Amino acid sequence: MLEGRPETVENLMVPSGSSGGSNSVGGGSLNMGGSNRSSGWTSFDLGVLEEPFPDANEESEEVTHPNPRANPFQAIPPEPDLDSVKEIMRDRLLVHRLGQRQATVSETEINRIVELKGQILDRMSQLDFNPFWAQRRNTLIRDYLRPPRGGEFKISVLEAKLQELFGENATRSSIYYELVRAREYFHIDGPFRGPRAAV
């Protein structure tokens, strides 16, 4: 700052001896010579300086969108009743057996499949101490412990899987690992019955 000369906007922005048009800003005179480059300032420069500054008190609006994965427990429907589970399993077997000579499903067969699946889940609750097996029992009977190609496991296959869970190395059996994996992925695949749902 020059001695004896106050440091004002006019003194900082307008070199001495400059010529051209002027515009009043804050009571002072600013050079508006758009074509006079010797002054160091153009009309564009001054126009930018005259633009108002954003209000510091203004807060930008934040738009939030719900995350369907934030709480996966809310997306899981309530437990179905056992009668509806049996109806779905019967229809599933009928569709799977279309084209066969005897495309029928007996009540005895359905009841036995449901019974074996229930025994498998009971055994899992003993090996894997988790309330999941009791809380989601009917859903697991309906949607899990199924062959990947559709339909239902044969009764003999379910009996073999149950025997594995009563063997000496039950917690190392394939059915044990498959069901534990189903529990871990249930809250992801459960509502949609995705590829990991068929154990």
Side-chain angles (χ1 to χ4, degrees), residues 174-190:
S174 59
I175 181 61
Y176 177 84
Y177 281 116
E178 288 170 355
L179 285 172
V180 168
R181 183 188 61 180
R183 172 175 58 77
E184 294 173 347
Y185 284 101
F186 179 81
H187 296 298
I188 299 175
D189 285 343

Side-chain angles (χ1 to χ4, degrees), residues 84-152:
S84 66
V85 169
K86 290 181 179 180
E87 287 294 327
I88 291 174
M89 293 173 64
R90 181 182 293 105
D91 293 342
R92 181 187 298 153
L93 277 174
L94 285 173
V95 171
H96 185 67
R97 293 175 180 177
L98 286 177
Q100 298 181 6
R101 292 183 178 181
Q102 295 180 348
T104 60
V105 179
S106 66
E107 192 73 19
T108 302
E109 181 183 8
I110 289 295
N111 288 338
R112 182 56 177 160
I113 292 175
V114 171
E115 180 185 12
L116 285 170
K117 286 187 176 184
Q119 291 175 358
I120 289 173
L121 296 176
D122 290 340
R123 181 57 178 163
M124 282 300 300
S125 66
Q126 297 171 358
L127 298 172
D128 179 50
F129 302 102
N130 194 302
F132 167 79
W133 308 109
Q135 293 173 352
R136 295 298 172 184
R137 183 184 180 88
N138 289 350
T139 299
L140 292 170
I141 291 175
R142 180 190 66 186
D143 299 331
Y144 290 72
L145 286 165
R146 293 166 47 198
R149 295 185 178 182
E152 295 286 347

Side-chain angles (χ1 to χ4, degrees), residues 15 28 57 79 101 147 193:
N57 295 326
E79 278 293 278
R101 292 183 178 181
R193 294 195 283 279

